[in-house]
Amino acid sequence: MHGVPLTEQVVEAVRRDPGASALPHLLPHVNVPWVEGGEARPMPEEVLARAVFPSGRPLPPSLRSWLAYDTSLLERYGWFAPDGGFAPRSIDQVVGDEMGDFWAEPFAWLSGRFPECFVLPGGSDSRRILAVTEPDEEGEYPVLALDLDDMPYLGIMYPGFDVYLADTAGLLELGERQTYTDLIDHAAYGPRMRRHAVQCFAGETCVEYPFEFAPVYEQLHPGQGQVAGRGRASR
């Protein structure tokens, strides 16, 4: 299941207990309720109908479906500007804001590839990021994992907001994650993951420091990179 039907299942589950934690196992001591105050705040229909990202790219169907139910969860993660519009950040801005200015510069070379990013709930010493790039066949954008433990790392964790949301809600039996990117081998979601891999990282699922060894570095800086594939256990 993908897209809106999958998101609608999440909405129905959250409706039953909107004040429940979205991250009960990952962050049991931190209050991250699905719906702030237990009362959903949908985006007004007329606003949602014309909503697009600042780049002009359309909202993914799953996000549009979720915003029709609630905006409070994403508002807590800085998705919106004071005027109510979307407030994306480039990937290096996200890294600097979330992890410290020291780490922003190493990711600056990817700012053109990921100019519109939004932080999502999840991760302990890592972050989940919706990256507005080329959509997959479901009209969805990838959710990336950012991890600075050991060495700076960025990889495709979910093929879209739909799968991220359903997995966070505990509706998918994906098994224990061995690496951030292991959905690349999933029967249903693997094809979408591979499409994003081509668009985001020149066919690889991630980049890891030193970035000069990543295929996408060679793609963006011809003649300056060396190719090597990497993976990392999720945390």
Side-chain angles (χ1 to χ4, degrees):
M1 189 173 289
H2 307 263
V4 172
L6 187 57
T7 308
E8 288 177 343
Q9 286 198 2
V10 178
V11 171
E12 288 306 308
V14 174
R15 283 188 198 275
R16 292 192 288 269
D17 190 3
S21 173
L23 304 168
H25 305 296
L26 185 62
L27 299 174
H29 305 299
V30 179
N31 184 28
V32 187
W34 281 104
V35 176
E36 191 173 37
E39 184 173 346
R41 299 204 305 270
M43 182 174 285
E45 290 184 14
E46 66 276 11
V47 176
L48 186 57
R50 63 175 184 269
V52 295
F53 291 119
S55 63
R57 289 190 182 275
L59 306 189
S62 61
L63 177 61
R64 190 173 293 276
S65 180
W66 177 259
L67 291 175
Y69 169 65
D70 179 64
T71 59
S72 69
L73 178 66
L74 302 182
E75 184 177 18
R76 280 176 274 150
Y77 283 81
W79 276 55
F80 305 107
D83 64 1
F86 289 100
R89 294 171 286 172
S90 63
I91 187 61
D92 56 324
Q93 290 176 314
V94 170
V95 174
D97 292 344
E98 296 290 321
M99 305 298 199
D101 292 339
F102 175 82
W103 296 107
E105 193 278 330
F107 286 88
W109 67 281
L110 281 169
S111 61
R113 181 58 55 97
F114 303 112
E116 287 187 309
C117 297
F118 299 87
V119 174
L120 291 164
S124 50
D125 55 0
S126 61
R127 297 292 185 273
R128 310 290 177 259
I129 299 168
L130 180 73
V132 181
T133 59
E134 289 292 329
D136 63 21
E137 59 269 30
E138 299 291 332
E140 300 286 335
Y141 306 112
V143 172
L144 310 179
L146 168 69
D147 191 339
L148 301 185
D149 191 33
D150 298 327
M151 291 293 182
Y153 169 98
L154 190 70
I156 304 169
M157 189 170 187
Y158 295 100
F161 183 74
D162 54 342
V163 182
Y164 156 81
L165 203 63
D167 190 37
T168 302
L171 301 186
L172 302 179
E173 296 182 0
L174 298 178
E176 185 175 354
R177 303 295 292 264
Q178 300 301 314
T179 68
Y180 287 123
T181 62
D182 54 17
L183 286 184
I184 194 76
D185 297 318
H186 191 272
Y189 302 128
R192 292 175 57 191
M193 292 281 287
R194 289 189 285 274
R195 179 184 175 95
H196 288 309
V198 171
Q199 296 291 341
C200 294
F201 298 127
E204 295 294 314
T205 58
C206 65
V207 291
E208 187 171 5
Y209 190 86
F211 295 129
E212 290 81 0
F213 289 91
V216 68
Y217 190 94
E218 171 65 24
Q219 185 181 78
L220 296 175
H221 301 83
Q224 300 181 36
Q226 300 180 47
V227 175
R230 292 173 168 80
R232 182 177 296 195
S234 62
R235 54 178 68 86

